[in-house]
Amino acid sequence: LRQSATQLDSNMGALLSKDVKSEVTALESKATILTADKPGDMAGKEGKHVPKVELRQSVAKVTVPHGMAADHWIQYIWLKDQAGTIVGAAKLAHTDQPTLSVTLPSGTTSITAFESCNLHGVWASASIKAD
């Protein structure tokens, strides 16, 4: 069960549902956002949880170097622009690869990637320049 980006996701071509957007918004509002610089109680887990962002022209590819198993997986990946608007998101099953590809909307100047691990919380990348 994979639901993806607002634009077409190159992985599956599915559209982001309002439900996925609502789910990641709710997750983010309740969670402490962990980062490479501020891993909190999860220090030592940064390498497998901080999303990696590769930008080629107007396409952002987010990967999370994390294994996917029935008892431990990346549940969601999402990408926000400089205004905090979700520009792409995916709800993942443990059988999916933890990746998301999004064509960025015109006017996007920076992006931040997020992911939610079912055991280790919500993690964010550093914001990167997108123009």
Side-chain angles (χ1 to χ4, degrees), residues 24-41:
V24 298
T25 299
L27 271 172
E28 193 176 344
S29 71
K30 293 187 278 186
T32 297
I33 307 300
L34 306 171
T35 65
D37 293 336
K38 294 183 180 179
D41 292 343

Side-chain angles (χ1 to χ4, degrees), residues 24-128:
V24 298
T25 299
L27 271 172
E28 193 176 344
S29 71
K30 293 187 278 186
T32 297
I33 307 300
L34 306 171
T35 65
D37 293 336
K38 294 183 180 179
D41 292 343
M42 298 296 166
K45 307 255 183 235
E46 304 89 339
K48 300 269 185 192
H49 291 88
V50 175
K52 312 291 185 223
V53 181
E54 179 183 339
L55 190 58
R56 290 196 179 152
Q57 297 175 335
S58 64
V59 177
K61 181 177 181 182
V62 181
T63 58
V64 182
H66 189 286
M68 299 288 275
D71 63 344
H72 186 191
W73 77 100
I74 302 303
Q75 299 172 300
Y76 298 90
I77 300 173
W78 65 101
L79 195 62
K80 294 173 94 173
D81 69 9
Q82 68 280 356
T85 302
I86 298 171
V87 295
K91 181 175 185 175
L92 306 172
H94 73 277
T95 54
D96 292 323
Q97 293 297 313
T99 64
L100 172 68
S101 293
V102 177
T103 300
L104 300 175
S106 168
T108 302
T109 59
S110 68
I111 53 175
T112 305
F114 296 82
E115 67 90 348
S116 175
C117 171
N118 73 312
L119 297 181
H120 300 114
V122 176
W123 293 78
S125 70
S127 180
I128 65 165

